[in-house]
Amino acid sequence: MRILAIETSCDETAAAIIEERDFMPRIITNVVYSQIDEHALTGGVIPEKAARMHAETLPTVLKQATFNRREKFDAVAATVGPGLIGCLLLGVSAAKTLAYNLDLPFYGINHLEGHIYSAWLENQPPELPALFLIVSGGHSDLVLMERHLSYRVLGSTRDDAAGEAFDKVARLLDLPYPGGPSISKLAVKGDPNAYEFPIAMKDENTLDFSFSGLKASVAYMISKLPKPMDDKTKADIAASFQETVSKTIIHKVNKALHMYPDVRSVAMVGGVSANIHLRNELANAIETGFPQIRFIVPQLKYCTDNAAMIGVAAIYKHMFKQKSSWDGVEVDPNLTLG
Ligand code: KG4
Ligand code: ZN
């Protein structure tokens, strides 16, 4: 079984062919065209521009992913939400048209489900029950998965997502979009203990996140500093902010693991999981506090948006016989998990 998957929910135009072999997913092709350089010119994603760029590049990306039609497939999948409506519509229309014309099944995939299934692209995939930390530009969620394709959202952000906080703090420091990579690069040269920022809802009995207070406290700190800021000060702020995000996340993961002692694996997925400091800190915290738990974080190229993860989720939908009806699946920019 081979699935052609399409991902166009935000600013990556992506297509991949994923094969199911011995009940495990295997990547045949994986093509990602990132629009980041274009959006960096305006300091963020302009939805209309992103949709137009998907329309321009998707045919070429599809040609590359299918090796000019030499790679065959038996089903088509696409991200149906959450994401930018115009961007989602382009990918889903292309996928449904292909599925209809080739008389193949269609699988509509939740983008967050895709991020979760990126953990199955690793050699040692999660063992269930597993706890997923989804940290991306639009989401910060803790999700418990006891069975395949079944999700219990234990906590979510109440305001900004972790990636959004990176992007906004980067803007405060005059760093280029996207903020995550810019901050992590600068943070290497800074002192993570130079400034103390608050860990939101530390003592509250909730697995929800909140990052807008952290962003506001960085903004307040910057407003009090002499201008222009020197490079060392900026690096110290970047490192201290990144350290606070890591501590916040580790605190919530720890809390979740105490509340759900049956969890056998923890996986961190989504764009922010590309952050090296966070990867190292969370790995250390789990190894020290919960040595029996397997920690998984995908390779960097599968942390940010890609179609391989959408294809893997579709492979599991195929294995568990959850085909979407071709005309019954609509895009939903606010789609949730579960
Ligand atoms: O998963 P993703 O590609 O798209 C969404 O589904 O939102 O995540 C994009 C987010 C952006 O906010 C970006 O700043 C952040 O992931 N990001 C990072 C890093 N690389 C990307 N955040 C922190 N450190 C990074 N190295
Ligand atoms: Zn994403």
Side-chain angles (χ1 to χ4, degrees), residues 133-194:
L133 170 69
I134 309 175
V135 272
S136 69
H139 291 83
S140 306
D141 296 325
L142 274 168
V143 178
L144 181 67
M145 190 165 160
E146 291 173 301
R147 285 172 288 115
H148 273 289
L149 304 169
S150 150
Y151 315 101
R152 218 166 112 201
V153 180
L154 306 177
S156 292
T157 185
R158 294 192 181 172
D159 38 57
D160 291 353
E164 199 177 347
F166 270 95
D167 295 337
K168 287 179 175 170
V169 168
R171 218 170 291 150
L172 293 172
L173 293 171
D174 284 328
L175 300 174
Y177 174 86
S182 308
I183 288 194
S184 60
K185 205 164 130 202
L186 185 61
V188 175
K189 299 181 212 150
D191 173 4
N193 301 312

CSV table of all heavy atoms in Angstrom, one decimal, residues 133-194:
chain,number,residue,atom,x,y,z
A,133,LEU,N,3.8,15.8,23.1
A,133,LEU,CA,3.8,17.2,23.3
A,133,LEU,C,3.9,17.8,21.9
A,133,LEU,O,4.9,17.6,21.2
A,133,LEU,CB,5.1,17.5,24.1
A,133,LEU,CG,5.5,19.0,24.2
A,133,LEU,CD1,4.5,19.7,25.1
A,133,LEU,CD2,6.9,19.1,24.8
A,134,ILE,N,2.8,18.5,21.5
A,134,ILE,CA,2.8,19.1,20.2
A,134,ILE,C,3.2,20.6,20.4
A,134,ILE,O,2.4,21.3,21.0
A,134,ILE,CB,1.5,19.0,19.5
A,134,ILE,CG1,1.0,17.6,19.5
A,134,ILE,CG2,1.5,19.6,18.1
A,134,ILE,CD1,-0.5,17.4,18.9
A,135,VAL,N,4.3,21.0,19.9
A,135,VAL,CA,4.7,22.4,20.1
A,135,VAL,C,5.0,23.0,18.7
A,135,VAL,O,6.0,22.7,18.1
A,135,VAL,CB,5.9,22.6,21.0
A,135,VAL,CG1,5.4,22.7,22.5
A,135,VAL,CG2,6.9,21.5,20.9
A,136,SER,N,4.1,23.8,18.2
A,136,SER,CA,4.3,24.4,16.8
A,136,SER,C,4.0,25.8,16.8
A,136,SER,O,3.8,26.5,17.9
A,136,SER,CB,3.4,23.6,15.9
A,136,SER,OG,2.1,23.9,16.2
A,137,GLY,N,3.8,26.4,15.6
A,137,GLY,CA,3.5,27.8,15.5
A,137,GLY,C,2.1,28.1,16.0
A,137,GLY,O,1.8,29.2,16.4
A,138,GLY,N,1.2,27.1,15.9
A,138,GLY,CA,-0.2,27.4,16.3
A,138,GLY,C,-0.6,26.6,17.5
A,138,GLY,O,-1.7,26.9,18.0
A,139,HIS,N,0.2,25.7,18.0
A,139,HIS,CA,-0.3,24.8,19.0
A,139,HIS,C,0.7,24.5,20.1
A,139,HIS,O,1.9,24.5,19.8
A,139,HIS,CB,-0.8,23.5,18.5
A,139,HIS,CG,-2.1,23.7,17.7
A,139,HIS,ND1,-2.0,24.0,16.4
A,139,HIS,CD2,-3.4,23.5,18.0
A,139,HIS,CE1,-3.3,24.2,15.9
A,139,HIS,NE2,-4.1,23.9,16.9
A,140,SER,N,0.2,24.3,21.3
A,140,SER,CA,1.1,23.8,22.4
A,140,SER,C,0.1,22.9,23.1
A,140,SER,O,-0.7,23.3,23.9
A,140,SER,CB,1.5,24.8,23.4
A,140,SER,OG,2.2,25.9,22.7
A,141,ASP,N,0.2,21.6,22.8
A,141,ASP,CA,-0.8,20.6,23.4
A,141,ASP,C,-0.1,19.5,24.0
A,141,ASP,O,0.9,19.0,23.6
A,141,ASP,CB,-1.7,20.0,22.3
A,141,ASP,CG,-2.6,21.1,21.6
A,141,ASP,OD1,-3.0,22.0,22.3
A,141,ASP,OD2,-2.8,20.9,20.4
A,142,LEU,N,-0.7,18.9,25.1
A,142,LEU,CA,-0.3,17.7,25.7
A,142,LEU,C,-1.4,16.7,25.4
A,142,LEU,O,-2.6,16.9,25.7
A,142,LEU,CB,-0.1,17.8,27.2
A,142,LEU,CG,1.3,18.3,27.6
A,142,LEU,CD1,1.3,18.6,29.1
A,142,LEU,CD2,2.4,17.2,27.3
A,143,VAL,N,-1.0,15.6,24.7
A,143,VAL,CA,-2.1,14.7,24.2
A,143,VAL,C,-1.7,13.2,24.6
A,143,VAL,O,-0.6,12.8,24.5
A,143,VAL,CB,-2.1,14.7,22.6
A,143,VAL,CG1,-3.2,13.7,22.1
A,143,VAL,CG2,-2.4,16.1,22.1
A,144,LEU,N,-2.7,12.5,25.2
A,144,LEU,CA,-2.5,11.1,25.6
A,144,LEU,C,-3.1,10.2,24.5
A,144,LEU,O,-4.2,10.4,24.1
A,144,LEU,CB,-3.2,10.9,26.9
A,144,LEU,CG,-3.0,9.5,27.5
A,144,LEU,CD1,-1.6,9.2,27.9
A,144,LEU,CD2,-3.9,9.3,28.7
A,145,MET,N,-2.2,9.3,24.0
A,145,MET,CA,-2.7,8.4,23.0
A,145,MET,C,-2.6,7.0,23.6
A,145,MET,O,-1.5,6.5,23.9
A,145,MET,CB,-1.8,8.5,21.8
A,145,MET,CG,-2.3,7.8,20.6
A,145,MET,SD,-1.3,8.5,19.2
A,145,MET,CE,-1.6,7.2,18.0
A,146,GLU,N,-3.8,6.3,23.8
A,146,GLU,CA,-3.8,5.0,24.4
A,146,GLU,C,-3.9,3.9,23.3
A,146,GLU,O,-3.4,2.8,23.5
A,146,GLU,CB,-4.9,4.9,25.4
A,146,GLU,CG,-4.6,5.8,26.6
A,146,GLU,CD,-5.8,5.8,27.6
A,146,GLU,OE1,-6.9,6.3,27.2
A,146,GLU,OE2,-5.6,5.5,28.8
A,147,ARG,N,-4.5,4.3,22.2
A,147,ARG,CA,-4.7,3.5,21.0
A,147,ARG,C,-4.4,4.3,19.8
A,147,ARG,O,-4.5,5.5,19.9
A,147,ARG,CB,-6.1,3.0,20.9
A,147,ARG,CG,-6.5,1.9,21.9
A,147,ARG,CD,-8.0,1.6,21.9
A,147,ARG,NE,-8.8,2.6,22.5
A,147,ARG,CZ,-9.6,3.4,21.8
A,147,ARG,NH1,-9.8,3.2,20.5
A,147,ARG,NH2,-10.3,4.4,22.4
A,148,HIS,N,-4.1,3.6,18.7
A,148,HIS,CA,-3.9,4.4,17.5
A,148,HIS,C,-5.1,5.2,17.1
A,148,HIS,O,-6.2,4.7,17.3
A,148,HIS,CB,-3.5,3.4,16.3
A,148,HIS,CG,-2.0,3.1,16.3
A,148,HIS,ND1,-1.1,4.0,15.9
A,148,HIS,CD2,-1.4,2.0,16.6
A,148,HIS,CE1,0.1,3.5,15.9
A,148,HIS,NE2,0.0,2.3,16.4
A,149,LEU,N,-4.9,6.4,16.6
A,149,LEU,CA,-5.9,7.3,16.1
A,149,LEU,C,-6.9,7.7,17.1
A,149,LEU,O,-8.0,8.1,16.8
A,149,LEU,CB,-6.7,6.6,14.9
A,149,LEU,CG,-5.8,6.1,13.8
A,149,LEU,CD1,-6.5,5.2,12.8
A,149,LEU,CD2,-5.1,7.3,13.0
A,150,SER,N,-6.5,7.6,18.4
A,150,SER,CA,-7.4,8.0,19.5
A,150,SER,C,-6.7,9.0,20.4
A,150,SER,O,-5.6,8.6,20.9
A,150,SER,CB,-7.9,6.8,20.2
A,150,SER,OG,-8.2,7.1,21.5
A,151,TYR,N,-7.2,10.2,20.5
A,151,TYR,CA,-6.4,11.2,21.2
A,151,TYR,C,-7.2,11.8,22.4
A,151,TYR,O,-8.4,12.1,22.2
A,151,TYR,CB,-6.1,12.3,20.2
A,151,TYR,CG,-5.6,11.8,18.9
A,151,TYR,CD1,-6.5,11.8,17.8
A,151,TYR,CD2,-4.3,11.4,18.7
A,151,TYR,CE1,-6.0,11.2,16.6
A,151,TYR,CE2,-3.9,10.8,17.5
A,151,TYR,CZ,-4.7,10.8,16.5
A,151,TYR,OH,-4.3,10.3,15.3
A,152,ARG,N,-6.5,12.0,23.5
A,152,ARG,CA,-7.2,12.7,24.6
A,152,ARG,C,-6.3,13.9,24.9
A,152,ARG,O,-5.1,13.8,25.3
A,152,ARG,CB,-7.1,11.8,25.8
A,152,ARG,CG,-8.4,11.9,26.7
A,152,ARG,CD,-8.5,10.8,27.6
A,152,ARG,NE,-8.3,11.2,29.0
A,152,ARG,CZ,-7.9,10.5,30.0
A,152,ARG,NH1,-7.7,9.2,29.8
A,152,ARG,NH2,-7.8,11.0,31.2
A,153,VAL,N,-6.9,15.1,24.6
A,153,VAL,CA,-6.1,16.3,24.9
A,153,VAL,C,-6.1,16.7,26.4
A,153,VAL,O,-7.2,16.9,26.9
A,153,VAL,CB,-6.7,17.5,24.0
A,153,VAL,CG1,-5.9,18.8,24.3
A,153,VAL,CG2,-6.7,17.2,22.5
A,154,LEU,N,-4.9,16.6,27.0
A,154,LEU,CA,-4.8,16.8,28.4
A,154,LEU,C,-4.6,18.3,28.8
A,154,LEU,O,-5.0,18.7,29.9
A,154,LEU,CB,-3.7,16.0,29.0
A,154,LEU,CG,-3.6,14.5,28.7
A,154,LEU,CD1,-2.4,13.9,29.3
A,154,LEU,CD2,-4.9,13.8,29.3
A,155,GLY,N,-4.1,19.0,27.9
A,155,GLY,CA,-3.8,20.4,28.1
A,155,GLY,C,-3.5,21.1,26.8
A,155,GLY,O,-3.0,20.5,25.8
A,156,SER,N,-3.8,22.4,26.7
A,156,SER,CA,-3.5,23.2,25.5
A,156,SER,C,-3.1,24.6,26.0
A,156,SER,O,-3.2,24.9,27.1
A,156,SER,CB,-4.8,23.4,24.7
A,156,SER,OG,-5.2,22.2,24.2
A,157,THR,N,-2.7,25.4,25.0
A,157,THR,CA,-2.3,26.7,25.4
A,157,THR,C,-3.6,27.6,25.6
A,157,THR,O,-4.6,27.4,24.8
A,157,THR,CB,-1.4,27.4,24.4
A,157,THR,OG1,-1.0,28.7,24.9
A,157,THR,CG2,-2.0,27.6,23.1
A,158,ARG,N,-3.6,28.5,26.5
A,158,ARG,CA,-4.7,29.3,26.8
A,158,ARG,C,-4.6,30.6,26.0
A,158,ARG,O,-5.6,31.4,25.9
A,158,ARG,CB,-4.9,29.7,28.2
A,158,ARG,CG,-5.2,28.4,29.0
A,158,ARG,CD,-5.6,28.8,30.4
A,158,ARG,NE,-5.8,27.6,31.2
A,158,ARG,CZ,-6.0,27.5,32.5
A,158,ARG,NH1,-6.1,28.7,33.2
A,158,ARG,NH2,-6.3,26.4,33.1
A,159,ASP,N,-3.4,30.9,25.4
A,159,ASP,CA,-3.2,32.1,24.6
A,159,ASP,C,-2.3,31.8,23.5
A,159,ASP,O,-2.7,31.1,22.5
A,159,ASP,CB,-2.8,33.3,25.5
A,159,ASP,CG,-1.8,32.8,26.6
A,159,ASP,OD1,-0.8,32.3,26.2
A,159,ASP,OD2,-2.1,33.0,27.8
A,160,ASP,N,-1.0,32.3,23.6
A,160,ASP,CA,-0.1,32.1,22.5
A,160,ASP,C,0.5,30.6,22.5
A,160,ASP,O,0.6,30.1,23.6
A,160,ASP,CB,1.1,33.0,22.6
A,160,ASP,CG,0.7,34.5,22.4
A,160,ASP,OD1,-0.5,34.7,22.0
A,160,ASP,OD2,1.5,35.4,22.6
A,161,ALA,N,0.8,30.1,21.3
A,161,ALA,CA,1.5,28.8,21.2
A,161,ALA,C,3.0,29.1,21.4
A,161,ALA,O,3.4,30.2,21.3
A,161,ALA,CB,1.2,28.2,19.8
A,162,ALA,N,3.7,28.0,21.7
A,162,ALA,CA,5.1,28.1,22.0
A,162,ALA,C,5.8,28.7,20.8
A,162,ALA,O,6.6,29.7,21.0
A,162,ALA,CB,5.7,26.8,22.3
A,163,GLY,N,5.5,28.3,19.6
A,163,GLY,CA,6.2,28.8,18.4
A,163,GLY,C,5.9,30.3,18.2
A,163,GLY,O,6.7,31.1,17.7
A,164,GLU,N,4.6,30.6,18.5
A,164,GLU,CA,4.2,32.0,18.3
A,164,GLU,C,5.0,32.9,19.3
A,164,GLU,O,5.4,34.0,18.9
A,164,GLU,CB,2.7,32.0,18.7
A,164,GLU,CG,1.9,33.2,18.3
A,164,GLU,CD,0.4,33.0,18.7
A,164,GLU,OE1,0.0,31.9,19.1
A,164,GLU,OE2,-0.3,34.0,18.6
A,165,ALA,N,5.2,32.4,20.5
A,165,ALA,CA,6.0,33.2,21.5
A,165,ALA,C,7.4,33.4,20.9
A,165,ALA,O,8.0,34.5,21.0
A,165,ALA,CB,6.1,32.4,22.8
A,166,PHE,N,8.0,32.3,20.3
A,166,PHE,CA,9.4,32.5,19.7
A,166,PHE,C,9.3,33.5,18.6
A,166,PHE,O,10.2,34.4,18.5
A,166,PHE,CB,9.8,31.1,19.1
A,166,PHE,CG,10.6,30.3,20.1
A,166,PHE,CD1,10.0,29.3,20.8
A,166,PHE,CD2,12.0,30.5,20.2
A,166,PHE,CE1,10.7,28.5,21.7
A,166,PHE,CE2,12.7,29.7,21.1
A,166,PHE,CZ,12.1,28.7,21.8
A,167,ASP,N,8.3,33.5,17.8
A,167,ASP,CA,8.2,34.4,16.7
A,167,ASP,C,8.0,35.8,17.2
A,167,ASP,O,8.6,36.8,16.6
A,167,ASP,CB,7.0,34.0,15.7
A,167,ASP,CG,7.3,32.7,15.0
A,167,ASP,OD1,8.5,32.3,14.9
A,167,ASP,OD2,6.3,32.0,14.6
A,168,LYS,N,7.2,36.0,18.2
A,168,LYS,CA,6.9,37.4,18.7
A,168,LYS,C,8.1,37.9,19.4
A,168,LYS,O,8.5,39.1,19.3
A,168,LYS,CB,5.7,37.4,19.6
A,168,LYS,CG,4.4,37.2,18.8
A,168,LYS,CD,3.2,37.2,19.7
A,168,LYS,CE,1.9,37.2,18.9
A,168,LYS,NZ,0.7,36.9,19.7
A,169,VAL,N,8.8,37.1,20.2
A,169,VAL,CA,10.0,37.6,21.0
A,169,VAL,C,11.1,37.9,20.0
A,169,VAL,O,11.8,38.9,20.1
A,169,VAL,CB,10.4,36.6,22.0
A,169,VAL,CG1,11.8,36.9,22.6
A,169,VAL,CG2,9.4,36.5,23.2
A,170,ALA,N,11.2,37.1,18.9
A,170,ALA,CA,12.2,37.4,17.8
A,170,ALA,C,12.0,38.8,17.2
A,170,ALA,O,12.9,39.6,17.0
A,170,ALA,CB,12.2,36.3,16.8
A,171,ARG,N,10.7,39.1,17.0
A,171,ARG,CA,10.3,40.4,16.5
A,171,ARG,C,10.8,41.5,17.4
A,171,ARG,O,11.3,42.6,17.0
A,171,ARG,CB,8.8,40.5,16.2
A,171,ARG,CG,8.5,41.2,14.9
A,171,ARG,CD,7.1,41.1,14.5
A,171,ARG,NE,6.7,39.7,14.1
A,171,ARG,CZ,5.5,39.2,14.2
A,171,ARG,NH1,4.5,39.9,14.8
A,171,ARG,NH2,5.2,38.0,13.8
A,172,LEU,N,10.6,41.3,18.8
A,172,LEU,CA,11.0,42.3,19.7
A,172,LEU,C,12.5,42.5,19.7
A,172,LEU,O,13.0,43.6,20.1
A,172,LEU,CB,10.6,41.9,21.2
A,172,LEU,CG,9.1,41.8,21.5
A,172,LEU,CD1,8.9,41.1,22.8
A,172,LEU,CD2,8.5,43.2,21.5
A,173,LEU,N,13.2,41.5,19.3
A,173,LEU,CA,14.7,41.6,19.3
A,173,LEU,C,15.2,41.9,17.9
A,173,LEU,O,16.4,41.8,17.6
A,173,LEU,CB,15.3,40.2,19.7
A,173,LEU,CG,15.1,39.9,21.2
A,173,LEU,CD1,15.6,38.4,21.5
A,173,LEU,CD2,15.8,40.8,22.1
A,174,ASP,N,14.3,42.3,17.0
A,174,ASP,CA,14.6,42.6,15.6
A,174,ASP,C,15.3,41.4,14.8
A,174,ASP,O,16.2,41.6,14.1
A,174,ASP,CB,15.5,43.8,15.5
A,174,ASP,CG,14.8,45.1,15.7
A,174,ASP,OD1,13.6,45.1,15.3
A,174,ASP,OD2,15.3,46.0,16.3
A,175,LEU,N,14.9,40.2,15.2
A,175,LEU,CA,15.5,39.0,14.5
A,175,LEU,C,14.6,38.6,13.4
A,175,LEU,O,13.4,38.8,13.4
A,175,LEU,CB,15.6,37.9,15.5
A,175,LEU,CG,16.5,38.2,16.7
A,175,LEU,CD1,16.5,37.0,17.7
A,175,LEU,CD2,18.0,38.4,16.3
A,176,PRO,N,15.1,37.9,12.3
A,176,PRO,CA,14.3,37.6,11.2
A,176,PRO,C,13.3,36.5,11.5
A,176,PRO,O,13.5,35.7,12.4
A,176,PRO,CB,15.3,37.1,10.1
A,176,PRO,CG,16.6,36.9,10.8
A,176,PRO,CD,16.5,37.6,12.1
A,177,TYR,N,12.2,36.4,10.7
A,177,TYR,CA,11.2,35.4,10.7
A,177,TYR,C,11.7,34.1,10.0
A,177,TYR,O,12.4,34.3,9.0
A,177,TYR,CB,9.9,35.9,10.0
A,177,TYR,CG,8.9,34.8,9.8
A,177,TYR,CD1,8.0,34.5,10.8
A,177,TYR,CD2,8.8,34.0,8.7
A,177,TYR,CE1,7.0,33.5,10.7
A,177,TYR,CE2,7.9,32.9,8.6
A,177,TYR,CZ,7.0,32.7,9.6
A,177,TYR,OH,6.1,31.7,9.5
A,178,PRO,N,11.5,32.9,10.5
A,178,PRO,CA,10.7,32.6,11.7
A,178,PRO,C,11.6,32.7,12.9
A,178,PRO,O,12.8,32.5,12.9
A,178,PRO,CB,10.3,31.1,11.4
A,178,PRO,CG,11.4,30.6,10.5
A,178,PRO,CD,11.9,31.7,9.7
A,179,GLY,N,11.0,33.1,14.0
A,179,GLY,CA,11.7,33.4,15.2
A,179,GLY,C,12.4,32.3,15.9
A,179,GLY,O,13.5,32.5,16.5
A,180,GLY,N,11.9,31.1,15.8
A,180,GLY,CA,12.5,29.9,16.5
A,180,GLY,C,13.9,29.7,16.2
A,180,GLY,O,14.8,29.8,17.1
A,181,PRO,N,14.2,29.5,14.9
A,181,PRO,CA,15.6,29.3,14.5
A,181,PRO,C,16.5,30.5,14.8
A,181,PRO,O,17.6,30.3,15.3
A,181,PRO,CB,15.6,29.0,13.0
A,181,PRO,CG,14.1,28.6,12.7
A,181,PRO,CD,13.3,29.3,13.8
A,182,SER,N,16.0,31.7,14.6
A,182,SER,CA,16.8,32.9,14.9
A,182,SER,C,17.1,33.0,16.4
A,182,SER,O,18.3,33.3,16.7
A,182,SER,CB,16.0,34.2,14.6
A,182,SER,OG,15.5,34.1,13.3
A,183,ILE,N,16.1,32.8,17.2
A,183,ILE,CA,16.4,32.9,18.7
A,183,ILE,C,17.4,31.8,19.1
A,183,ILE,O,18.3,32.0,19.9
A,183,ILE,CB,15.1,32.8,19.5
A,183,ILE,CG1,14.3,34.1,19.3
A,183,ILE,CG2,15.4,32.5,21.0
A,183,ILE,CD1,13.2,34.4,20.2
A,184,SER,N,17.2,30.5,18.6
A,184,SER,CA,18.1,29.5,19.1
A,184,SER,C,19.5,29.7,18.6
A,184,SER,O,20.4,29.4,19.4
A,184,SER,CB,17.5,28.1,18.7
A,184,SER,OG,17.5,28.0,17.3
A,185,LYS,N,19.7,30.3,17.5
A,185,LYS,CA,21.0,30.6,17.0
A,185,LYS,C,21.7,31.6,17.9
A,185,LYS,O,22.9,31.5,18.3
A,185,LYS,CB,20.9,31.1,15.5
A,185,LYS,CG,22.2,30.9,14.7
A,185,LYS,CD,21.9,31.1,13.3
A,185,LYS,CE,22.9,32.0,12.6
A,185,LYS,NZ,22.4,32.6,11.4
A,186,LEU,N,21.0,32.7,18.2
A,186,LEU,CA,21.5,33.7,19.0
A,186,LEU,C,21.7,33.3,20.5
A,186,LEU,O,22.7,33.7,21.1
A,186,LEU,CB,20.6,34.9,19.0
A,186,LEU,CG,21.0,36.2,19.7
A,186,LEU,CD1,22.3,36.8,19.0
A,186,LEU,CD2,19.9,37.3,19.6
A,187,ALA,N,20.8,32.4,21.0
A,187,ALA,CA,20.9,32.0,22.4
A,187,ALA,C,22.2,31.3,22.7
A,187,ALA,O,22.6,31.3,23.9
A,187,ALA,CB,19.6,31.1,22.7
A,188,VAL,N,22.8,30.6,21.7
A,188,VAL,CA,24.0,29.9,21.9
A,188,VAL,C,25.1,30.8,22.5
A,188,VAL,O,25.9,30.4,23.3
A,188,VAL,CB,24.5,29.3,20.6
A,188,VAL,CG1,25.9,28.6,20.8
A,188,VAL,CG2,23.5,28.3,20.0
A,189,LYS,N,25.0,32.1,22.1
A,189,LYS,CA,26.0,33.1,22.6
A,189,LYS,C,25.6,33.8,23.9
A,189,LYS,O,26.3,34.7,24.4
A,189,LYS,CB,26.3,34.1,21.5
A,189,LYS,CG,26.8,33.6,20.2
A,189,LYS,CD,27.0,34.7,19.2
A,189,LYS,CE,26.7,34.3,17.8
A,189,LYS,NZ,26.2,35.3,17.0
A,190,GLY,N,24.4,33.5,24.4
A,190,GLY,CA,23.9,34.2,25.6
A,190,GLY,C,23.9,33.4,26.9
A,190,GLY,O,24.2,32.2,26.9
A,191,ASP,N,23.7,34.1,28.0
A,191,ASP,CA,23.6,33.4,29.3
A,191,ASP,C,22.1,33.1,29.7
A,191,ASP,O,21.4,34.1,29.8
A,191,ASP,CB,24.2,34.4,30.3
A,191,ASP,CG,24.1,33.9,31.8
A,191,ASP,OD1,23.6,32.8,32.0
A,191,ASP,OD2,24.5,34.7,32.7
A,192,PRO,N,21.8,31.9,29.8
A,192,PRO,CA,20.4,31.5,30.1
A,192,PRO,C,19.9,32.0,31.4
A,192,PRO,O,18.7,32.0,31.7
A,192,PRO,CB,20.3,30.0,30.0
A,192,PRO,CG,21.7,29.6,30.1
A,192,PRO,CD,22.6,30.7,29.7
A,193,ASN,N,20.8,32.4,32.3
A,193,ASN,CA,20.4,32.9,33.6
A,193,ASN,C,20.5,34.4,33.8
A,193,ASN,O,20.4,34.9,34.9
A,193,ASN,CB,21.3,32.2,34.7
A,193,ASN,CG,21.1,30.7,34.6
A,193,ASN,OD1,20.0,30.2,34.5
A,193,ASN,ND2,22.2,29.9,34.6
A,194,ALA,N,20.8,35.1,32.7
A,194,ALA,CA,21.0,36.5,32.8
A,194,ALA,C,19.7,37.2,33.2
A,194,ALA,O,19.8,38.2,34.0
A,194,ALA,CB,21.4,37.1,31.4
